[in-house]
């Protein structure tokens, strides 16, 4: 039998993150969102002090040593306040740190994972390019061996924390013949530091959601990367990119669950304040229907990410379950945010209330880390037998209490 109770440690974490985000971020978020301002000086030290930047990285590698469910709890609580906070967990912890934990050498763990898990360095993930999103095999970035270095050339775009992070996990072609054939076994993964010569970045200024977060592009113009910075073996880059997504999608799923809860709570509050036809609008059955749908979506989303976190704790493969959790909860969050605006009527169409921000923020997650359509196809392919998960050379380590 399985239990659905959170441990005392989980509950304490939930309460601590909830209180921190309510106290430190919630009072300023509307203004920061309007001003497109990423409050780096407040947020990063706060996340670091709470141990969240290395939450489920083992203590021997500088982390807090909590389990993977804890990463979900933190993601849910952070996105309850604003998506930009959860995005940091997704790219820094999910996509980057956990990939180094599973695939990194001892030296890479010492040089990169430890300072990242301790919150002294911030990390991102660079797969997407101007001409390659869902179709990752279309990337153009190349890494050509020159002595004991690789020379990287290319541009990554739509990169969370592009203008802020210190280190990036970058996917590039190392086998140019395989690039021509679109054979992903010609890709490799690298840790690229912002400080490397030839690296430059900038923000995406026209973005209309997650405005209190940083999203941008970076260019690698002949960046020389030491060969010790290759993550995994030559040719394992595509597998590593997909492995990273198994971890990032988990945080996105848990975060979207928090966003649904935020929509639900704001809608319940408003439905009891606002009157129409002589009664609170919550008395109207069609308003009740939207609120009930939010509760159903919240509970189902939560169960899905909890299952995925439990599988991770057990050291079991969870690509299918995590993909389902991400797909279901992000699509549900879009429904919840749309209905939350609807329940607020014209007030929902204004930034005076938070639901307009929820509506803009939710859409990103329906696009990144596998679009709604890619996840739909993936789930069907599993059922139809067109897709199955083969064992990987490196797996996320089973959680061991410290
Ligand atoms: C806010 C934000 C943050 C991001 N952060 C990062 C990051 O940190 N790192 C990173 O590498 N990337 C990041 N991304 C990029 C993101 O991963 C890509 O946008 C995503 O993979 C989709 O790629 P695309 O935008 O090129 O869309 P496309 O792949 O061009 O897709 C366009 C449309 O076609 C559909 N489509 C494409 N192929 C198929 C198919 N086979 N079947 C059915 N439909 C299909 C898609 O579902 C979509 O509706 C971020 C994006 C956003 C919006």
């Amino acid at each position: 039998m399985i239990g659905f109770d959170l441990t005392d440690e989980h509950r304490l974490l939930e309460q601590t993150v909830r209180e921190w985000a309510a106290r430190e971020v919630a009072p300023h978020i509307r203004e920061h969102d309007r001003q497109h301002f990423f409050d780096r000086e407040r947020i990063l030290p706060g996340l670091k002090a709470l141990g969240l930047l290395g939450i489920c990285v083992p203590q021997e590698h500088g982390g807090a040593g909590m389990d993977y469910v804890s990463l979900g709890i933190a993601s849910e609580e952070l996105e309850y306040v604003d998506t930009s906070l959860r995005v940091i967990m997704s790219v820094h912890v999910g996509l980057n740190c956990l990939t180094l934990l599973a695939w990194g050498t001892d030296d890479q763990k010492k040089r990169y994972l430890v300072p990242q898990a301790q919150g002294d360095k911030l990390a991102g993930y660079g797969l997407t390019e101007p001409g390659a999103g869902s179709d990752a095999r279309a990337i153009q970035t190349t890494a050509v061996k020159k002595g004991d270095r690789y020379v990287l050339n290319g541009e990554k775009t739509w990169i969370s924390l592009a203008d802020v992070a210190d280190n990036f996990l970058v996917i590039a072609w190392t086998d140019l013949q395989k690039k021509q054939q679109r054979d992903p076994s010609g890709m490799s993964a690298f840790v690229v530091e912002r400080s490397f010569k030839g690296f430059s970045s900038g923000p995406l200024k026209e973005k209309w959601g997650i405005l209190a977060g940083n999203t941008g592009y970076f260019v690698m113009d002949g960046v020389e990367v030491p060969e010790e910075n290759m993550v995994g073996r030559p040719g394992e880059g595509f597998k590593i990119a997909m492995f990273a997504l198994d971890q990032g999608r988990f945080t996105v799923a848990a975060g979207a669950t928090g966003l649904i809860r935020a929509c639900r709570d704001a809608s319940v509050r408003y439905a009891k304040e606002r009157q129409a036809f002589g009664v609170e609008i919550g008395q109207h059955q069609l308003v009740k229907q939207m609120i009930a749908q939010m509760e159903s979506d919240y509970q189902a989303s939560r169960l899905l990410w909890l299952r995925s976190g439990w599988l991770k704790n057990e050291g079991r493969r969870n690509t299918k379950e995590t993909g389902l959790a991400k797909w279901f909860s992000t699509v549900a969050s879009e429904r919840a945010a749309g209905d939350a605006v609807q329940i607020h009527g014209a007030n929902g169409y204004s930034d005076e209330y938070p639901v307009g921000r929820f509506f803009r923020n939710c859409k990103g997650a329906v696009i990144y880390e596998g679009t709604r359509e890619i996840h739909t196809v993936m789930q069907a392919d599993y059922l139809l037998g067109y897709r199955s998960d083969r064992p990987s050379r490196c797996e996320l380590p089973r959680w061991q209490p410290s």
Side-chain angles (χ1 to χ4, degrees), residues 172-211:
W173 290 101
T174 40
D175 184 325
L176 301 188
Q177 202 171 349
K178 288 186 174 170
K179 175 175 183 283
Q180 296 289 322
Q181 296 152 354
R182 287 172 51 88
D183 173 353
S185 70
M187 292 181 186
S188 303
F190 298 88
V191 177
V192 176
E193 295 183 29
R194 168 180 302 284
S195 61
F196 287 169
K197 193 159 169 281
F199 182 100
S200 58
S201 71
L204 292 181
K205 295 197 176 125
E206 307 297 331
K207 188 179 61 153
W208 57 254
I210 322 182
L211 295 175

Side-chain angles (χ1 to χ4, degrees), residues 43-296:
I43 288 167
L44 296 180
L47 295 178
K48 175 183 161 145
L50 292 172
L52 299 185
L53 293 172
I55 183 166
C56 53
V57 173
Q59 288 175 347
E60 59 179 301
H61 300 303
M66 299 185 81
D67 69 349
Y68 300 110
V69 168
S70 302
L71 174 61
I73 289 171
S75 300
E76 186 177 318
E77 290 307 321
L78 291 173
E79 189 150 3
Y80 183 81
V81 172
D82 195 62
T83 303
S84 59
L85 298 173
R86 190 272 305 152
V87 167
I88 300 171
M89 301 301 287
S90 295
V91 300
H92 174 88
V93 181
L95 293 167
N96 193 305
C97 289
L98 293 182
T99 305
L100 290 181
L101 177 66
W103 293 83
T105 60
D106 286 348
D107 167 62
Q108 288 165 354
K109 286 180 182 143
K110 211 179 319 161
R111 283 191 296 131
Y112 294 112
L113 181 57
V114 169
Q116 290 176 191
Q118 288 174 336
D120 294 328
K121 295 281 182 192
L122 197 63
Y125 172 83
L127 175 63
T128 305
E129 297 186 2
S134 308
D135 181 11
R137 294 174 197 207
I139 63 168
Q140 294 300 314
T141 297
T142 53
V144 176
K145 190 102 195 277
K146 186 176 141 198
D148 59 356
R149 324 207 125 226
Y150 283 88
V151 180
L152 269 70
N153 281 291
E155 179 180 346
K156 300 289 179 180
T157 194
W158 281 105
I159 304 301
S160 304
L161 307 180
D163 243 3
V164 180
D166 302 286
N167 309 324
F168 296 88
L169 182 70
V170 170
I171 311 299
W173 290 101
T174 40
D175 184 325
L176 301 188
Q177 202 171 349
K178 288 186 174 170
K179 175 175 183 283
Q180 296 289 322
Q181 296 152 354
R182 287 172 51 88
D183 173 353
S185 70
M187 292 181 186
S188 303
F190 298 88
V191 177
V192 176
E193 295 183 29
R194 168 180 302 284
S195 61
F196 287 169
K197 193 159 169 281
F199 182 100
S200 58
S201 71
L204 292 181
K205 295 197 176 125
E206 307 297 331
K207 188 179 61 153
W208 57 254
I210 322 182
L211 295 175
N214 175 267
T215 316
Y217 65 88
F218 64 80
V219 176
M220 293 164 296
D221 182 8
V223 173
E224 292 194 11
V225 178
E227 65 183 350
E228 307 86 76
N229 278 26
M230 178 183 280
V231 181
R233 297 176 182 156
E236 286 186 327
F238 189 79
K239 283 186 191 150
I240 291 172
M242 297 304 122
F243 169 92
L245 289 172
D246 280 354
Q247 321 320 325
R249 285 169 182 164
F250 172 65
T251 63
V252 174
T257 305
L259 186 57
I260 298 169
R261 177 154 54 87
C263 292
R264 179 200 71 182
D265 292 355
S267 299
V268 166
R269 219 167 26 242
Y270 192 78
K272 294 183 72 69
E273 277 167 25
R274 179 76 178 174
Q275 301 246 332
F277 298 93
V279 291
E280 292 172 356
I281 59 167
Q283 296 282 354
H284 298 301
Q285 285 188 345
L286 292 177
V287 173
K288 285 186 212 248
Q289 184 182 41
M290 289 188 273
I291 289 173
Q293 181 68 51
M294 289 176 199
E295 176 65 0
S296 138

